[in-house]
Amino acid sequence: MLDDPETTTAARDAPRLRDEDGAIRDEFVDLVRTAIEADDAATLRELVGDLHEADTGALLHALDAELRPRLIALMGPDFDFTALVEVDDAVRQEILGELPPETVAEGVRELELDDAVYILEDLTPEDQAEILQQLPSLDRVALTRSLQYPEDSAGRRMQVEYIAVPPSWTVGHTIDYLRETEELPERFFELYVVDADYKLLGAVPLDRLLRTRRPTHVDELTEAERRRVRATDDQEEVARLFERYNLIAVPVVDDSDRLVGVITVDDIVDVIEQEADQDIKALGGVGGDEELSDSVWTIARGRFNWLVVNLATAFLASSVLGLFEGQLQKMVALAVLAPIVASQGGNAATQTMTVAVRALATRQLHDGNAMRIVLRELLVGFVNGLAFAVLTGVLAAAWFDMPDLGVVIGLAMICNLVAAALGGILVPLVVERFGLDPAVSSGVFVTTITDVVGFFSFLGIATAWFGLR
């Protein structure tokens, strides 16, 4: 159809994409929505064609679900499929489900291998096969091989575009090759030296190559001990390697030490963000794959199981109160103050547990220093217990005009904060020892410990102190 002059003018006069808080402006989204509904491809290209893929991904989130595939169809070859890496899994799968396999295949062809794998890996095998059949044989083979690596492995994250040279080449020959060869990676930081069987011999940093005289042989510059990872290594371990040694790129080898790819720091930033996101969600009993774009039913179903476990442990903690039913009837103050002891212990345990889980995830907490960290947390719990014993004791005594009650709640506070410290550090250690994820499993058990110890210590001490029966 002919371009709408008013819409084209609107494209030229479009507001800035993001507001002061970094959110996509509603006015910009409205212009894009109008162009889509008018099937105005020219205006849409003016508005969206030059956006960074991260901005295009944010725009896709801001649009209504039915408009997203229409935007891609109208943009045609001008749509950068890298933007689909920037959206939630649920949004991406929804978009891919609405697009013809031919369109997806055409978009995937232009992507780096790791981005293409990221887009296709969550599709069903049938959908993957249908899209792969639309690709040229070389692209299909490379993608198929990467998709066969374990999920969250280095093989899924690596790029297969790299520069490998034999050790017999000179610096001059290598530089001439780099200048004259068109099919090179867009960005690279080092060259890899391989033998005739493509086994990795080492790496040559690009800056070192350019500073060396032309007659020098490459093998004289090769760093033979260059750190490398296997394609089957877990991506979290690879990220830890980058963090520990401040790496920019690392070669990926197969089980025979043959060079198969390279992982760069921009890929690892995504891994670090993803792993941190999963850990934070797991601490709250939320599935690591939950997204803001998920449906109500999906979110409710994902959270239900841990809420059931929490309910069971809540009944366990409440049963402790049942053991002191008579004492609670005789002294109402006990019923009023008991939740304070339990709540304070729960908060203290959550602090300790958060630090412990993160330390375990980054391998800072291990068998070699576990005892020292446990003793440290025990002392922290005792010190805080003393401080809050004085504070809550004074407040409780003044509130109910009973000095003895202040002593009782103070002693209970010390007991529970010490128990909270021990529970917060020991539970994650024990959970990990059994091969489970401490981020997912620790919270509910630690909270139960502090509730049970809090109620039992406070009511038990009160019963002994006041002689209640």
Side-chain angles (χ1 to χ4, degrees):
M1 61 172 288
L2 294 175
D3 298 336
D4 183 347
E6 293 185 3
T7 309
T8 304
T9 301
R12 289 195 296 267
D13 298 335
R16 286 173 46 208
L17 177 66
R18 294 183 181 270
D19 60 21
E20 294 78 8
D21 298 323
I24 299 292
R25 292 181 182 274
D26 291 339
E27 301 92 322
F28 188 87
V29 177
D30 289 340
L31 286 175
V32 173
R33 183 183 294 111
T34 300
I36 295 173
E37 291 173 346
D39 290 332
D40 189 349
T43 298
L44 200 57
R45 291 190 184 98
E46 287 187 48
L47 289 167
V48 183
D50 294 329
L51 294 183
H52 188 275
E53 60 263 22
D55 294 328
T56 305
L59 175 63
L60 287 172
H61 269 291
L63 289 171
D64 297 332
E66 66 274 9
L67 297 180
R68 295 164 182 161
R70 289 179 61 186
L71 179 148
I72 297 173
L74 286 168
M75 291 285 294
D78 293 324
F79 180 78
D80 184 359
F81 264 69
T82 311
L84 296 185
V85 177
E86 305 291 337
V87 302
D88 292 348
D89 291 347
V91 172
R92 180 169 57 255
Q93 292 181 42
E94 185 179 272
I95 292 173
L96 293 175
E98 295 294 328
L99 295 175
E102 300 81 12
T103 302
V104 179
E106 190 64 31
V108 165
R109 283 184 60 182
E110 305 301 322
L111 300 180
E112 294 181 347
L113 180 68
D114 56 325
D115 290 333
V117 170
Y118 190 81
I119 288 175
L120 297 181
E121 63 183 355
D122 291 330
L123 298 179
T124 64
E126 295 77 14
D127 290 338
Q128 287 180 5
E130 191 173 2
I131 292 170
L132 291 172
Q133 285 300 319
Q134 310 290 328
L135 296 173
S137 58
L138 289 178
D139 294 337
R140 182 168 64 249
V141 170
L143 262 173
T144 300
R145 183 175 63 177
S146 292
L147 288 168
Q148 288 172 346
Y149 287 117
E151 189 175 357
D152 295 333
S153 66
R156 291 284 185 98
R157 287 290 182 180
M158 71 180 183
Q159 304 171 23
V160 294
E161 295 84 10
Y162 54 82
I163 301 174
V165 299
S168 59
W169 279 16
T170 64
V171 168
H173 187 177
T174 304
I175 292 176
D176 291 340
Y177 168 77
L178 297 178
R179 288 173 176 168
E180 296 168 3
T181 305
E182 295 183 1
E183 296 298 326
L184 291 179
E186 289 186 11
R187 296 182 183 88
F188 54 92
F189 308 97
E190 55 193 14
L191 314 179
Y192 300 107
V193 183
V194 296
D195 64 14
D197 295 324
Y198 238 72
K199 289 188 176 181
L200 181 65
L201 301 178
V204 179
L206 193 57
D207 60 328
R208 190 176 182 186
L209 179 80
L210 297 176
R211 291 171 179 168
T212 305
R213 294 183 180 278
R214 291 178 64 88
T216 306
H217 283 83
V218 168
D219 61 352
E220 298 179 44
L221 307 178
T222 302
E223 297 178 356
E225 299 301 318
R226 188 70 169 85
R227 287 184 173 83
R228 63 193 69 184
V229 298
R230 297 202 178 278
T232 53
D233 287 349
D234 186 86
Q235 63 178 14
E236 192 171 357
E237 295 295 333
V238 178
R240 196 167 294 115
L241 190 71
F242 271 78
E243 181 183 20
R244 185 180 301 130
Y245 298 109
N246 299 320
L247 301 176
I248 300 297
V250 64
V252 183
V253 298
D254 62 14
D255 293 335
S256 300
D257 282 332
R258 288 191 297 266
L259 182 64
V260 294
V262 60
I263 294 181
T264 55
V265 67
D266 59 314
D267 304 315
I268 292 304
V269 169
D270 294 335
V271 172
I272 293 173
E273 181 182 6
Q274 176 184 332
E275 297 294 342
D277 179 68
Q278 290 177 348
D279 285 345
I280 291 172
K281 290 177 179 176
L283 282 172
V286 176
D289 56 352
E290 180 178 314
E291 304 285 358
L292 289 177
S293 56
D294 287 343
S295 66
V296 172
W297 171 247
T298 300
I299 294 175
R301 184 179 55 188
R303 298 181 185 181
F304 181 81
N305 291 338
W306 273 111
L307 289 176
V308 170
V309 176
N310 273 291
L311 180 62
T313 57
F315 272 102
L316 176 62
S318 296
S319 67
V320 176
L321 294 175
L323 298 176
F324 298 92
E325 183 178 356
Q327 292 87 330
L328 291 171
Q329 290 176 347
K330 293 179 181 179
M331 188 177 291
V332 176
L334 299 180
V336 174
L337 296 175
I340 296 176
V341 179
S343 174
Q344 197 70 3
N347 290 330
T350 299
Q351 291 176 331
T352 304
M353 181 187 65
T354 302
V355 173
V357 168
R358 189 59 189 154
L360 285 169
T362 57
R363 301 296 187 268
Q364 293 176 308
L365 178 57
H366 46 76
D367 291 343
N369 64 0
M371 184 56 67
R372 177 173 61 84
I373 301 299
V374 169
L375 290 176
R376 186 198 70 179
E377 292 298 330
L378 183 62
L379 289 175
V380 170
F382 181 72
V383 170
N384 278 336
L386 286 176
F388 282 100
V390 174
L391 182 59
T392 55
V394 169
L395 292 174
W399 187 0
F400 293 96
D401 196 20
M402 295 178 62
D404 285 3
L405 189 59
V407 176
V408 169
I409 195 172
L411 292 173
M413 192 67 72
I414 294 173
C415 291
N416 204 25
L417 262 67
V418 169
L422 284 175
I425 186 72
L426 291 179
V427 169
L429 285 170
V430 172
V431 166
E432 190 190 48
R433 185 59 59 90
F434 281 97
L436 302 175
D437 185 353
V440 176
S441 310
S442 299
V444 62
F445 299 118
V446 170
T447 302
T448 302
I449 290 172
T450 55
D451 285 349
V452 171
V453 172
F455 290 143
F456 192 86
S457 61
F458 179 54
L459 297 176
I461 293 171
T463 299
W465 188 277
F466 293 111
L468 296 173
R469 292 292 184 270

